[in-house]
Amino acid sequence: MSAAKSLSILSAIDFLIRIETGPDAGKVYRIFPPKVDIGRDPALQIVVNDPKASRKQCSITIKDEVILNDHSGRQTTFVNGQHANNHSLKPNDIISFGETQIRFLAKAREQKAPAVKQQQAAVTAQIAAEKKKAKLRFHIFLAGAVLVGALLYLLEEDPTKPSKTLTTAEELKKQQEEGEIRRQELRENLKEKRKLDNADYLMSVEKHFVQGFRDLQTQNYGRALDAFGTTIATDSSHSRAVQYAKIAERNRQDRVDRHMRDGMKYKEKLMYDRCESEFEKAMILINDKRSQKYSIAKGQLDECRLLNAGGR
């Protein structure tokens, strides 16, 4: 057998000595390559308390085989009752000197490959989890950065300041139709939210908020309230959505009241076409037939139409 092959075999074996008799009976030591010295000297790897042993009694060397050498100087080291020097040890050989008997043992080393594989798998899983967390944090950071930039751009104008440009009834109707389409899209998006991962879900929430903010700036208050309402429904702690939803509702009510006042002024001035237009705008903005204001606006619209028809 070649030395390389022999070493390969020996590397898979654990070598031990067990003290059978003497002051240290019961002790077990593992023998590590390349060499272990045994004796009374405290500086040695294995120390025996046998007063009849030499300071350096013997040594065990592991190369391509396991060799015992006597260092007592008095030839007092024996293997299986025979003086031994440069002796090749075999499992269960008995080494003796002084009052001490030692049994030489060898056993196949336990294979730890499965445990190593499990550990590697655990480490791999941990690395994958850390990568996923890092990716999630990156997505959230990216979404936040984009949204902050969008908000800074949008906040250059004050959404609470009413516009001097009045919207026509046709434009209000168009906005109302677009609002209904938008609400349907939002409802569909809500159904899909549970299919999104956490980062995408947060981005979806902020998307609704930004859309609501844009609608608030363009005075499309109905659609803004829908978007803010969706944001709050999915994230009740979204304080900005709550804040701007209140602003949108207040601005819508102010716009309704302004159309109602203008409608009454045009009615008093016998300008019935404009009277009809203003009350129609108010009804479209209210968009709730159960509302008292809606009923008042409808009554005034009908009256203006009758007066307009009578004057022709």
Side-chain angles (χ1 to χ4, degrees), residues 269-286:
K269 294 179 180 181
L270 308 181
M271 301 171 67
Y272 300 125
D273 287 334
R274 292 192 175 183
C275 172
E276 289 180 38
S277 175
E278 292 301 316
F279 286 119
E280 184 179 10
K281 293 175 185 178
M283 290 171 61
I284 293 171
L285 282 170
I286 296 168

Side-chain angles (χ1 to χ4, degrees), residues 135-168:
K135 183 179 180 181
L136 175 61
R137 287 193 294 268
F138 174 75
H139 284 169
I140 294 174
F141 170 78
L142 183 61
V146 171
L147 290 169
V148 167
L151 288 176
L152 288 175
Y153 172 77
L154 294 172
L155 285 171
E156 289 180 358
E157 297 183 10
D158 185 358
T160 64
K161 184 178 180 181
S163 172
K164 296 180 180 179
T165 305
L166 296 180
T167 311
T168 65

Side-chain angles (χ1 to χ4, degrees), residues 53-115:
S54 299
R55 290 185 62 82
K56 183 177 180 181
Q57 181 69 42
C58 61
S59 65
I60 298 175
T61 303
I62 300 175
K63 291 185 178 179
D64 54 344
E65 56 183 331
V66 184
I67 302 297
L68 176 77
N69 282 293
D70 182 14
H71 298 286
S72 65
R74 302 189 304 273
Q75 299 185 351
T76 56
T77 303
F78 302 88
V79 175
N80 300 327
Q82 301 293 322
H83 174 256
N85 190 49
N86 200 32
H87 179 86
S88 178
L89 290 173
K90 303 294 186 297
N92 289 315
D93 279 353
I94 298 296
I95 304 167
S96 60
F97 49 82
E99 299 177 358
T100 301
Q101 286 190 344
I102 300 174
R103 184 178 297 274
F104 175 72
L105 301 170
K107 64 177 182 178
R109 186 169 300 161
E110 294 181 3
Q111 298 298 316
K112 297 184 179 181

Side-chain angles (χ1 to χ4, degrees), residues 15-20 24-32 45-46 102-105 107:
F15 297 105
L16 306 98
I17 57 172
R18 184 175 66 224
I19 301 179
E20 304 282 350
D24 302 296
K27 292 183 179 180
V28 178
Y29 298 94
R30 184 176 174 186
I31 307 300
F32 292 97
Q45 290 95 331
I46 297 178
I102 300 174
R103 184 178 297 274
F104 175 72
L105 301 170
K107 64 177 182 178

Side-chain angles (χ1 to χ4, degrees), residues 7-18:
L7 284 172
S8 176
I9 294 173
L10 292 178
S11 65
I13 299 174
D14 284 332
F15 297 105
L16 306 98
I17 57 172
R18 184 175 66 224

Side-chain angles (χ1 to χ4, degrees), residues 178-190:
E178 291 174 349
E180 182 56 36
I181 295 173
R182 180 63 181 173
R183 284 191 292 274
Q184 182 61 33
E185 291 176 352
L186 293 176
R187 285 191 288 267
E188 293 298 325
N189 288 339
L190 282 174

